[in-house]
Each structure stands twice: as structure tokens, then as C-alpha cells.
Amino acid sequence: MLASARCQLPKRLPIKLAIEPLIDAACELRVHISSQIDLHTVLPGVLLTKLGLSKFEQLPGTFVPSAIRSQDPLGVFNSQLVRAQWGDYYITIGTRNVVIGPKLPYHGWHDFKKHILEVFNVVLELGIHDAIDRYSIKYTNLIEGSDVAQQSAKLDWGVKIGPLSIQGEPTQLRVEIPDERFLTIVQINSGAAVEMIETKTVRTGCVVDVDTLCLKLDADFSRFGRELPERLEAIRYRNKGVFFDCLTDSTIEEMGPTYE
């Protein structure tokens, strides 16, 4: 059950799956800037110099009047303003945050982490921010099944509301799982239809979205930069562990896991 995510994480997590359920991933860094400088006005030029990015796309939020955006500190109007393609990755920049995510097919955590470090280190070197508000990582997976009952049977979960036991019915569920270091938000949506951006095909199944956040930061910029590789490993391990806790053993075996 989802409650098991509060317990000890699995001792063995797959390092690779033959059948990859991933449909989206993103890693975000949010910073606090007390001045009137916005990250999306400064960072693109620095990324052009440091990483060779040359084409940036303005997103709809940039056309929203600043007076309206100021009332929504880091909602969609302020968190998604400029986007660039960087090889097999997307970089999205807002007023106070930067997000990097992979295109599909996913090239694995090692490659993703390498690109995250490059982008985040550029942000840390800017010198325009006062503090780090948070960092997070989110993986969205699609557990496919011919119908909702089959999809639900692939998850190690149970939902009971009074006398009602939810088993094979379409379900939307959100739960927050805190621990001593992270907050992990799990959202499950069975009976979903997802249009894939790369192939324009529609896949159906149960969407399992796991978003892990670190909100308690006790490090300055230099220390955070030194610790960033280890911090990324820790938050990814927590995120990955919660996801596999959501699945039955037979579902994991169907994906063709490879272990170290």
C-alpha cells in the first residue's frame, strides 16, 4: 500500500528496465532574489555563453502583464516563461526557477544527472540570488493496462472510504509523504489517456506521478554547490524508492528489471 512508502525503502532497486514506463521527468531549482532582476532575463544569455544554447522560445506567460504576474509569485505565469532545447533535454526558465527535463527516449539517470549539474551550476554562479528556496525532482510513469481494473491490480495499494472499498474503479489520488529530509507527493490517476509529445500517439493506463521536494536547506551557495552531486543522488533515490513501493512485485518483473 502507499503507506508502505513511510517505511524502509526497498533494499534492491532496479538500475534499468527493459520496458520503460517513464513518460516525463523534471528537476527544478528555485532561488530567492530580493532585487528586481528576474532569472529569465539573465540566464538565457549566460547559457548561450556557457552551454552554447542559441534558440530560446518565449512561452505564453511572458505575454501576461507584469502587474498580473506579480500577484502569482511562482505559479504558471512566473515559472514557465522561456524554454530552450539542449540536445536531448529541455530547459525552462521562470522569474525565480529553472527546470530541466529529458526528451524521450530517456537516456537514464547518469546522463540526466550530468545535465542537471551543468545547468544548476551555471545558476549558482550567477551571483544575483540571495538564497536557495528549494530543489525537487519529479518522475511521471504510465502503468499500462487494458482496462482500469487491470491497471489498478498492478499497483500495491488500497483505498477505503467508510464502507466503500475502491478497487477497479477510475481513481484520482494525491498523498503527501514526509520524512526527515524530503516531502514526496504521489499522484495516481487510473484510466488516463496520455498523448506522447514525440510520437503524437495516445497511450492509456494508470499515471503514477512522484514529486520529491527538499524544502529545508541549511547550506550557503558554495556548500550547496559542493554537495549538489550527493544531494541529487539522495533525492533521486527517495523518489525512485517511493515509485517502486507503489508497484507489485509482479509488475516490476514485467518491466524486465536489471539489478547491480
Side-chain angles (χ1 to χ4, degrees):
M1 298 176 68
L2 284 178
S4 66
R6 293 181 181 272
C7 303
Q8 184 177 357
L9 294 177
K11 293 182 179 179
R12 298 179 69 214
L13 294 177
I15 60 173
K16 186 178 180 181
L17 298 172
I19 301 175
E20 180 60 69
L22 182 74
I23 58 174
D24 193 22
C27 190
E28 179 188 32
L29 178 68
R30 294 190 184 183
V31 297
H32 177 75
I33 305 175
S34 58
S35 69
Q36 298 300 312
I37 300 175
D38 289 331
L39 198 60
H40 75 284
T41 64
V42 176
L43 187 56
V46 180
L47 291 175
L48 185 153
T49 303
K50 297 282 189 178
L51 304 181
L53 276 68
S54 58
K55 186 177 180 180
F56 293 88
E57 172 191 4
Q58 286 187 315
L59 299 178
T62 59
F63 303 105
V64 176
S66 58
I68 296 178
R69 287 200 283 112
S70 65
Q71 300 174 19
D72 185 24
L74 203 59
V76 67
F77 290 154
N78 285 293
S79 63
Q80 301 176 21
L81 298 176
V82 177
R83 180 170 59 199
Q85 295 190 38
W86 181 33
D88 294 323
Y89 292 86
Y90 294 104
I91 299 174
T92 304
I93 309 167
T95 56
R96 298 291 184 270
N97 73 323
V98 60
V99 181
I100 177 170
K103 301 178 184 177
L104 297 181
Y106 179 56
H107 295 303
W109 168 242
H110 179 75
D111 191 70
F112 189 19
K113 178 186 174 184
K114 180 182 71 173
H115 286 80
I116 295 169
L117 286 170
E118 287 193 62
V119 173
F120 284 10
N121 282 326
V122 170
V123 176
L124 294 175
E125 293 169 0
L126 286 176
I128 64 171
H129 26 55
D130 307 297
I132 299 165
D133 281 341
R134 80 181 207 189
Y135 60 98
S136 63
I137 194 163
K138 179 167 72 170
Y139 276 72
T140 304
N141 295 274
L142 183 69
I143 310 302
E144 297 189 80
S146 58
D147 54 37
V148 173
Q150 186 185 75
Q151 297 163 22
S152 298
K154 293 187 175 185
L155 302 182
D156 185 10
W157 69 330
V159 180
K160 188 174 183 296
I161 306 173
L164 302 176
S165 180
I166 310 300
Q167 295 179 336
E169 295 78 13
T171 304
Q172 292 185 5
L173 175 68
R174 183 183 188 277
V175 61
E176 296 186 2
I177 307 168
D179 65 12
E180 66 280 0
R181 188 171 181 184
F182 301 116
L183 171 66
T184 300
I185 303 169
V186 181
Q187 297 187 84
I188 294 175
N189 183 4
S190 62
V194 180
E195 182 177 359
M196 307 304 296
I197 295 176
E198 286 79 7
T199 62
K200 304 302 180 184
T201 57
V202 176
R203 295 169 57 187
T204 59
C206 181
V207 174
V208 181
D209 183 288
V210 183
D211 190 3
T212 304
L213 304 82
C214 182
L215 305 173
K216 299 178 181 178
L217 301 176
D218 56 355
D220 57 26
F221 286 111
S222 59
R223 179 182 166 191
F224 181 80
R226 293 193 303 270
E227 295 176 348
L228 187 55
E230 292 76 18
R231 285 176 176 269
L232 289 177
E233 287 292 341
I235 197 170
R236 170 59 180 143
Y237 183 80
R238 176 58 175 163
N239 183 280
K240 184 177 181 179
V242 171
F243 169 64
F244 280 101
D245 269 354
C246 293
L247 308 180
T248 65
D249 291 342
S250 60
T251 300
I252 297 173
E253 288 304 310
E254 288 175 4
M255 295 177 179
T258 298
Y259 298 93
E260 288 183 321

